[in-house]
Amino acid sequence: MDRRSNIIRFGADGWQARLDDGFDEAGVRRVADALGLLWAEAHPGATILVGYDTRHNSAEYARAAASVLASFGLHAIVSDRPCPTPCVSWCCSRMDDAAGVVMLTASERSCEYGGLIVRGADGGPVSREFLDAVEQHVSLEPPVDFGSFQTGNFVGLYLDDLVTLVDGPAISAAGLNIVVDSMYGAGAGVLSLALERLGCRVTEIHADRCEDFCGLHPEPCDPWADECEEAVSSLGANMGFLLDCDGDRAGAVDENGNILLPHELSPLVLGHLVENRGEFGRVVVTLTCSARVARQAERLGCELTSVPVGFSRLYREMREGDVVLGAEEYGGLAFPSHLFERDGLLVCLLVVELVAKTGKSLRRLVSDMGDKIGHMRYTRRDVRLDPAATQAFRNVLPGLNPGSVAGRQPVEVSHADGLRLQFDDGSWVLIRPSRSDPVVRVYSEAPTEGERDRLLDASCGMVRAGA
């Protein structure tokens, strides 16, 4: 065996790899062995919750992980069905003796991938230091010791709480007709049940078991949202929702069958939290989030904190307190009063509550918000380079300080996470090399598509010249 090919490397949340390139039961057991060792040393006899999504062999891998964890004297409980990540994270956060979560999922990645992510006792991400320690303790061979584990119904406990977080009578009185697209993921039958319990009429699609997702990529965005958009239009539904494979991110479709961009959904939810629910606090966003979130926060009188890309950075701010919403650029939203983890199902219920309480359609609400905070056009472009060129650009990036881009002078320059240039009309561009892939990501937002694309083209040219 090639020892180098047997080495497991962790990303931001844990381990993800292609099923044909190393992600298998032996690897899962090896990671569980390292986790069990560290958790048992720090929290002898603690409870560890194990969840899984609908991917190939996820259930079997979850049981394998639990048996290894139990061999260290830990109380391992495996979900009795596929369950969303926020579901098992929420259950962990409500248990006094729980030390963490192992979730078998590759989230929105395609069916060719498997994944094992780790969460802490509060349901949020564990530290990079902890993941590094786990990685260092992963043996080259799978363990031979196994223990007994239990199964539990995490979904029922989570749903009982989730439906209490919104105004049930108002939602029931609205008589809304909703399409739910589970994208063949772990949210199948979960979000739809919550909505039905709240009095909505629900049509669910892509809810049956299909380990290859029947060719669908379980990411709540176009073009993968096409069938949900068509269903909303053909059924005359009030709205539709999509969940990624593990339910931590959601997409919303308006009554016309058009999906809302994350840059519309995030400020819309923020407005509802403050104006209709009376919640208040800081708003924490990644630097790549739309300026519309910042404008909405300013309009509502909420302090804004911007952090470099990565949910763990949002988590650290939320743990500091006084945060009403944490938002990622891809639409992941976290509500720390509920959970220190993104929860796509709660996002959907809040949007339903917003429509029910205002009596306005989803598209009308987005339009009204645009009139208040302005309309912007956002996009991202990836510049792919060979590894050597990518590293060369990383080396020169800290010294880049352009006096103008596309004929425009920036009013603010930041190197907090790559190179971010701010312009006087609210336009901005961010150049950020990927931490793991040979690619440089370039983000841009401006009031018009033409101005956005000019900034984008010039910035991409700067990347190629610097590489």
Side-chain angles (χ1 to χ4, degrees):
M1 178 184 294
D2 184 347
R3 293 172 66 88
R4 291 173 300 176
S5 66
N6 211 25
I7 295 175
I8 290 174
R9 297 299 184 198
F10 285 0
D13 293 316
W15 176 42
Q16 291 188 356
R18 289 181 60 93
L19 300 176
D20 60 1
D21 190 29
F23 194 91
D24 56 17
E25 182 174 325
V28 169
R29 289 185 182 276
R30 291 164 58 207
V31 173
D33 183 60
L35 283 166
L37 176 66
L38 295 179
W39 269 330
E41 286 180 349
H43 311 284
T47 295
I48 306 296
L49 304 189
V50 183
Y52 57 93
D53 67 11
T54 53
R55 292 169 188 273
H56 178 70
N57 284 344
S58 280
E60 291 80 359
Y61 292 168
R63 290 190 282 269
S67 68
V68 173
L69 292 166
S71 71
F72 288 90
L74 297 165
H75 180 207
I77 308 176
V78 181
S79 177
D80 61 1
R81 69 198 78 178
C83 61
T85 295
C87 167
V88 65
S89 291
W90 181 88
C91 289
C92 180
S93 72
R94 282 1 186 228
M95 298 179 67
D96 292 337
D97 65 340
V101 166
V102 174
M103 179 71 189
L104 275 297
T105 182
S107 196
E108 76 282 353
R109 289 203 175 198
S110 61
C111 65
E112 292 86 6
Y113 284 83
L116 184 157
I117 66 173
V118 185
R119 291 290 180 261
D122 62 1
V126 295
S127 68
R128 183 70 246 180
E129 292 74 20
F130 180 78
L131 287 178
D132 288 343
V134 175
E135 188 178 283
Q136 292 168 9
H137 283 83
V138 174
S139 64
L140 290 175
E141 298 295 335
V144 296
D145 294 328
F146 311 115
S148 299
F149 58 86
Q150 292 182 307
T151 59
N153 180 357
F154 303 154
V155 171
L157 296 171
Y158 166 78
L159 274 182
D160 287 345
D161 180 74
L162 192 68
V163 296
T164 68
L165 302 180
V166 291
D167 190 336
I171 293 173
S172 180
L176 297 170
N177 182 12
I178 299 172
V179 174
V180 171
D181 187 346
S182 304
M183 308 193 88
Y184 301 109
V190 183
L191 176 60
S192 58
L193 180 57
L195 291 168
E196 287 169 352
R197 287 173 61 175
L198 291 166
C200 300
R201 300 189 302 277
V202 180
T203 301
E204 188 169 18
I205 63 174
H206 302 148
D208 49 326
R209 294 299 297 271
C210 186
E211 289 189 344
D212 65 357
F213 308 138
C214 297
L216 194 70
H217 194 120
E219 186 171 8
C221 62
D222 284 331
W224 316 111
D226 286 353
E227 291 185 46
C228 182
E229 294 168 338
E230 292 167 5
V232 171
S233 296
S234 63
L235 294 171
N238 297 99
M239 68 195 84
F241 295 110
L242 306 103
L243 294 173
D244 71 349
C245 192
D246 72 328
D248 66 348
R249 285 175 52 208
V253 175
D254 70 19
E255 69 280 6
N256 299 322
N258 298 313
I259 192 167
L260 273 65
L261 298 173
H263 325 297
E264 297 171 321
L265 186 59
S266 298
L268 190 70
V269 170
L270 174 59
H272 177 52
L273 293 175
V274 176
E275 294 180 309
N276 300 317
R277 292 170 58 93
E279 301 181 29
F280 193 75
R282 283 192 300 141
V283 179
V284 185
V285 300
T286 54
L287 286 168
T288 50
C289 273
S290 169
R292 280 165 281 188
V293 185
R295 290 180 178 182
Q296 182 76 302
E298 181 180 14
R299 186 182 75 83
L300 298 168
C302 296
E303 179 185 346
L304 183 82
T305 303
S306 298
V307 298
V309 170
F311 183 71
S312 62
R313 294 183 172 97
L314 294 176
Y315 167 79
R316 287 196 288 269
E317 288 293 332
M318 291 190 291
R319 289 296 301 179
E320 291 294 319
D322 192 31
V323 173
V324 67
L325 179 68
E328 292 183 305
E329 68 275 17
Y330 301 123
L333 299 180
F335 311 90
S337 62
H338 162 62
L339 180 65
F340 293 110
E341 169 64 286
R342 294 149 293 194
D343 192 335
L345 291 89
L346 180 54
V347 170
C348 297
L349 296 194
L350 289 169
V351 172
V352 170
E353 182 184 53
L354 170 61
V355 171
K357 292 179 79 71
T358 61
K360 296 181 179 180
S361 72
L362 198 47
R363 182 46 54 187
R364 173 66 184 278
L365 288 163
V366 171
S367 177
D368 288 351
M369 179 182 70
D371 292 340
K372 295 174 183 176
I373 65 174
H375 299 272
M376 298 286 281
R377 300 292 183 265
Y378 179 109
T379 196
R380 188 190 90 188
R381 187 181 298 171
D382 289 350
V383 181
R384 298 200 171 273
L385 306 169
D386 63 60
T390 304
Q391 186 56 50
F393 184 74
R394 288 194 188 100
N395 293 337
V396 303
L397 185 60
L400 280 182
N401 189 14
S404 67
V405 178
R408 302 185 56 188
Q409 293 183 336
V411 296
E412 184 178 331
V413 178
S414 170
H415 286 88
D417 190 16
L419 172 65
R420 192 179 194 279
L421 308 173
Q422 183 79 36
F423 302 92
D424 56 7
D425 64 347
S427 302
W428 59 273
V429 65
L430 174 67
I431 302 172
R432 179 179 174 272
S434 169
R435 295 189 181 93
S436 56
D437 300 317
V439 62
V440 177
R441 309 196 192 283
V442 183
Y443 307 78
S444 182
E445 187 174 32
T448 68
E449 290 184 2
E451 190 58 41
R452 177 201 68 190
D453 291 345
R454 283 189 288 275
L455 289 170
L456 198 65
D457 291 342
S459 299
C460 290
M462 192 188 314
V463 171
R464 295 186 181 97

